[in-house]
């Protein structure tokens, strides 16, 4: 009882701390929108922070040329439309994209937004001393030029079949060139006034910024859409924890929106039962998956050989496709998604899970666990239990695997379930969990990083990052494997190498047009899934809590969850 009371006291104190800044206005002011991000905002310049809470808080003020909507479709923001090959906005040789800007758009100080601001924003981010966290979005950009006040042309140094990196999404925004004129390069970090109070074209202007605490905004009186935004004031509060944030929306009704509710599905369901709010999920492309090492990770091998070279040092049994497929067949993805992820996860059979036009319809068989078929497949492959100890052997090697992931309650529960199922097909599993800071840290001296992969199987989540999958599918090309020669950098974690896959991927790199690229993406996805070198488990989304009195919210897994905040309204 004493332990329970202590926990309740801590939760209550956390809740009171979170609500302290805005509980009175929430009760008294209908035109105030109260938002909880349990990670507090530290800066409002997305070019100088990769943190989600900073980028999303800035998105109320700063805007890109286009967003990606929750369906994975590009929609114009500061542009009049989306340039494509078909409408002539993308050149036939795929080296340029030309954006037409909306006329009459002004920054909140009344200055017009023009193509010169687009050019400046590129110069600002790509200056070598700025330290821009969004530099990746300008990869291969050779120049950005203002053709006229309302036309911006981007030229790439090589053909770019998917040219929608620059100025698309909440990280690659258009800055006010006059406000940031003296903040380029080494001066960027010292521009406190600009970084804490940017002047933008978005629906809100910064009223007060308290770093690592709260941001308050007022409606932008010069916003281009008449009658919007609907709320005159926004309080964007940070701190506390996910459970207290969820409680503030779902149980007490003191807040309108709570972000990233990484909480047990059972706890969330109990909170929803209070009737003050509901849980919604933004799905994009993130997938929790198993990676099956194609090299031998035995600790008996020297460092220059261990987990290196799938051709000359193959895994003793995971290099067998039938064994890999049997491991997949034994897993019940419905139980993992339903019991451990709840609304935040769906059982997954594909490695590319969004947007819909990129999703293969060919792999849904994995949704049905089949222990009997898995056992039959192993028998046929020659993996048999010859000594009756319950563990199969393949060519003299017992089917014993070390299965590692980061330390996380949901992941450890997933491991336990999979270990049980694999035992039913004669595979013995040793479970390891490693502190996330170490596992994802990339220290070349550490034996426990996911890149080094000193295990047979490991599990983590990532996704395409954009509606186009090219920069995701490159992970499984030959030569992209982590190794000592690259400081263990490289994204081909399972050490997969298939000449046919590489050939098809090269075709994707040369191909323009959404439909043609989607067809190639599906083929590449199917090759990976069929091979079994990776086993998709759960299609993961971002879970948010929303007040029952809030309307117009469309939770977005691709971009800022605040992407359409100008459309949010309160029920009377």
């Amino acid at each position: 009882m004493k332990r329970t009371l202590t926990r309740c006291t801590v939760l209550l104190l956390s809740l009171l701390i979170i609500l302290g800044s805005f509980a009175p206005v929430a009760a008294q002011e209908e035109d105030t929108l109260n938002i909880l991000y349990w990670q507090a905002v530290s800066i409002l310049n997305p070019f100088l922070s990769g943190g989600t809470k900073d980028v999303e808080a800035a998105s109320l003020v700063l805007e890109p040329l286009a967003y990606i909507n929750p369906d994975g479709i590009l929609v114009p923001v500061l542009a009049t439309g989306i340039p494509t090959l078909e409408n002539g906005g993308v050149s036939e040789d795929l080296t340029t994209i030309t954006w037409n800007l909306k006329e009459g758009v002004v920054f909140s100080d009344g200055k017009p937004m023009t193509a010169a601001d687009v050019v400046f924003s590129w110069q600002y981010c790509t200056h070598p001393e700025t330290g821009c966290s969004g530099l990746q979005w300008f990869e291969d950009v050779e120049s950005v030029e203002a053709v006229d006040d309302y036309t911006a042309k981007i030229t790439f140094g090589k053909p770019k079949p998917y040219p929608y990196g620059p100025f698309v999404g909440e990280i690659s925004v258009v800055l006010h060139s006059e406000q940031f004129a003296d903040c380029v390069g080494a001066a960027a970090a010292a521009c406190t006034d600009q970084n804490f109070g940017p002047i933008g074209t978005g629906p809100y202007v910064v009223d007060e910024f308290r770093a690592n605490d709260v941001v308050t905004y007022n409606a932008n009186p010069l916003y281009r859409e008449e009658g919007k935004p609907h709320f005159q004031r926004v309080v964007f509060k940070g701190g506390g924890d996910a459970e207290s944030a969820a409680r503030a929306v779902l149980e007490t009704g003191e807040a309108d929106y709570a972000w990233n509710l990484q909480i047990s599905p059972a706890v969330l369901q109990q909170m929803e039962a209070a009737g003050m709010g509901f849980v919604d999920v933004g799905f994009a492309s993130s997938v929790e998956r198993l990676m099956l090492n194609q090299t031998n990770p035995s600790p008996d091998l020297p460092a220059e050989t261990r987990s290196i070279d799938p051709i000359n040092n193959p895994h003793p049994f995971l290099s067998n496709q039938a064994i890999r497929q049997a491991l997949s067949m034994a897993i019940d993805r419905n139980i993992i998604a339903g019991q451990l992820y709840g609304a935040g996860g769906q059982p997954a059979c594909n490695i590319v899970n969004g947007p819909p036009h990129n999703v293969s319809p060919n792999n849904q068989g994995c949704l049905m666990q089949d222990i009997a078929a898995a056992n039959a497949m192993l028998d046929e492959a020659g993996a048999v239990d010859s000594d009756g100890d319950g563990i199969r052997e393949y060519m003299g090697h017992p089917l014993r695997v070390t299965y590692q992931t980061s330390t996380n309650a949901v992941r450890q529960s997933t491991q336990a379930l999979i270990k049980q199922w694999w035992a039913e097909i004669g595979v013995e599993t040793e479970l390891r969990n490693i502190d996330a800071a170490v596992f994802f840290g990339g220290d070349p001296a550490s034996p426990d990083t996911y890149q080094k992969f000193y295990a047979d199987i490991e599990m983590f989540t990532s996704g395409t990052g954009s509606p186009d999958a090219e920069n995701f599918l490159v992970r499984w090309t030959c030569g992209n494997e982590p190794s000592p020669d690259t400081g263990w950098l490289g994204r081909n974690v399972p050490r997969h190498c298939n000449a046919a896959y590489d050939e098809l991927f090269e075709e994707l790199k040369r191909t323009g047009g959404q439909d043609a690229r989607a067809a190639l993406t599906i083929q590449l996805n199917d090759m990976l899934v069929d091979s079994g070198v990776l086993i998709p488990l759960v299609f993961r989304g971002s879970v948010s809590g929303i007040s029952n009195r809030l309307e117009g919210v469309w939770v977005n897994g691709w971009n800022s969850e605040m992407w359409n905040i100008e459309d949010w309204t309160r029920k009377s």
Side-chain angles (χ1 to χ4, degrees):
M1 177 63 72
K2 181 177 180 181
R3 183 175 300 172
T4 303
L5 289 174
T6 302
R7 181 174 180 271
C8 291
T9 302
V10 171
L11 287 174
L12 178 59
L13 288 173
S14 297
L15 182 59
L16 290 173
I17 290 169
I18 289 176
L19 297 178
S21 293
F22 62 73
V25 299
Q28 297 170 15
E29 298 181 21
E30 290 292 297
D31 63 354
T32 296
L33 178 64
N34 297 299
I35 297 172
L36 274 177
Y37 272 49
W38 50 271
Q39 296 177 9
V41 179
S42 57
I43 193 171
L44 289 173
N45 182 350
F47 283 136
L48 298 185
S49 174
T52 300
K53 36 86 174 181
D54 299 330
V55 170
E56 302 210 0
S59 71
L60 278 69
V61 176
L62 300 172
E63 298 181 302
L65 298 182
Y67 266 134
I68 302 162
N69 77 9
D71 290 331
I73 298 170
L74 287 160
V75 292
V77 179
L78 296 176
T80 60
I82 305 300
T84 64
L85 264 174
E86 292 75 16
N87 64 26
V90 175
S91 63
E92 290 291 334
D93 64 1
L94 307 178
T95 61
T96 69
I97 182 171
T98 302
W99 292 90
N100 295 316
L101 310 184
K102 293 177 179 176
E103 297 188 23
V105 177
V106 297
F107 290 99
S108 59
D109 65 353
K111 301 289 177 63
M113 189 279 299
T114 71
D117 297 294
V118 177
V119 174
F120 171 82
S121 301
W122 166 67
Q123 294 170 336
Y124 173 91
C125 184
T126 56
H127 189 288
E129 296 181 4
T130 295
C132 180
S133 62
L135 194 61
Q136 59 178 315
W137 304 113
F138 296 101
E139 186 178 1
D140 300 320
V141 174
E142 197 170 77
S143 67
V144 179
E145 58 182 304
V147 178
D148 55 43
D149 282 351
Y150 298 104
T151 309
K153 181 180 180 180
I154 301 173
T155 301
F156 299 96
K158 64 179 184 180
K160 205 76 169 175
Y162 187 81
Y164 305 111
F167 303 108
V168 175
E170 75 278 24
I171 297 176
S172 190
V173 296
V174 178
L175 298 177
H176 192 319
S177 58
E178 288 189 23
Q179 184 191 23
F180 283 85
D182 297 326
C183 300
V184 181
C191 287
T192 303
D193 291 344
Q194 292 86 343
N195 296 330
F196 285 4
I199 297 169
T201 56
Y204 289 96
V205 298
V206 178
D207 177 41
E208 182 183 11
F209 178 83
R210 299 207 301 264
N212 302 311
D213 184 8
V214 64
V215 188
T216 57
Y217 309 80
N218 292 324
N220 178 1
L222 301 179
Y223 187 60
R224 61 188 173 276
E225 295 190 45
E226 187 175 353
K228 297 181 181 181
H230 300 285
F231 290 95
Q232 293 304 303
R233 186 167 180 263
V234 176
V235 178
F236 200 105
K237 177 65 179 171
D241 55 56
E243 189 164 339
S244 298
R247 197 177 306 280
V249 173
L250 303 176
E251 286 192 346
T252 71
E254 298 288 350
D256 296 303
Y257 192 94
W259 161 84
N260 194 20
L261 303 183
Q262 299 174 352
I263 307 168
S264 159
V267 173
L268 274 180
Q269 289 171 6
Q270 184 178 8
M271 289 184 182
E272 275 190 292
M276 300 298 294
F278 62 96
V279 170
D280 201 358
V281 184
F283 287 96
S285 64
S286 294
V287 59
E288 183 87 352
R289 61 184 179 275
L290 302 178
M291 299 291 212
L292 279 60
N293 200 338
Q294 296 305 286
T295 63
N296 192 340
S298 172
D300 297 331
L301 296 173
E304 63 272 16
T305 305
R306 186 182 183 189
S307 282
I308 298 169
D309 192 356
I311 305 301
N312 297 305
N313 184 38
H315 193 282
F317 54 85
L318 290 181
S319 54
N320 183 296
Q321 184 177 359
I323 294 175
R324 300 194 298 264
Q325 290 174 334
L327 292 173
S328 178
M329 294 168 66
I331 296 170
D332 192 329
R333 292 160 174 83
N334 294 294
I335 287 179
I336 295 173
Q339 294 186 4
L340 304 182
Y341 288 86
Q346 301 172 2
C349 294
N350 292 307
I351 192 64
V352 177
N353 287 280
H357 60 260
N358 275 349
V359 179
S360 171
N362 305 319
N363 303 305
Q364 297 311 298
C366 92
L367 297 179
M368 181 65 69
Q369 182 192 40
D370 197 335
I371 296 290
N375 275 312
M377 181 171 285
L378 291 172
D379 289 341
E380 187 175 348
V384 297
D385 179 8
S386 60
D387 55 11
D389 64 354
I391 303 170
R392 293 175 181 267
E393 303 94 33
Y394 176 73
M395 298 183 68
H397 298 279
L399 268 57
R400 292 190 175 97
V401 297
T402 299
Y403 166 18
Q404 68 182 21
T405 189
S406 62
T407 304
N408 171 292
V410 172
R411 286 190 167 140
Q412 270 67 82
S413 296
T414 303
Q415 283 183 305
L417 286 170
I418 291 176
K419 176 178 180 175
Q420 173 187 324
W421 293 323
W422 284 349
E424 295 180 40
I425 62 170
V427 177
E428 184 177 73
T429 308
E430 175 191 350
L431 302 180
R432 294 187 69 220
N433 69 85
I434 302 163
D435 183 88
V438 175
F439 188 63
F440 296 113
D443 180 359
S446 171
D448 295 323
T449 64
Y450 80 97
Q451 299 103 322
K452 195 161 284 188
F453 204 174
Y454 283 170
D456 303 289
I457 295 169
E458 65 184 10
M459 179 174 69
F460 57 88
T461 290
S462 63
T464 62
S466 83
D468 190 80
E470 180 181 324
N471 285 336
F472 184 62
L473 293 170
V474 71
R475 292 170 182 259
W476 295 283
T477 54
C478 302
N480 202 15
E481 306 87 3
S483 72
D485 294 338
T486 63
W488 294 102
L489 298 176
R491 296 187 291 174
N492 187 350
V493 174
R495 285 63 166 161
H496 167 261
C497 188
N498 181 329
Y501 179 91
D502 285 12
E503 183 179 351
L504 194 62
F505 180 78
E506 287 300 315
E507 185 178 348
L508 176 67
K509 290 170 60 178
R510 298 189 299 267
T511 301
Q514 176 180 289
D515 291 345
R517 290 180 66 77
L520 291 169
T521 295
I522 288 172
Q523 291 181 59
L524 289 162
N525 171 89
D526 290 353
M527 289 179 73
L528 290 172
V529 172
D530 289 346
S531 75
V533 298
L534 48 83
I535 299 176
L537 298 175
V538 179
F539 180 25
R540 293 182 55 183
S542 176
V543 181
S544 298
I546 305 170
S547 167
N548 283 337
R549 297 190 59 206
L550 205 57
E551 292 184 319
V553 179
W554 193 7
V555 180
N556 196 337
W558 294 106
N559 285 144
S560 167
E561 293 186 23
M562 306 289 107
W563 76 288
N564 74 329
I565 195 170
E566 68 274 11
D567 294 324
W568 295 12
T569 60
R570 192 185 302 284
K571 295 179 184 178
S572 58

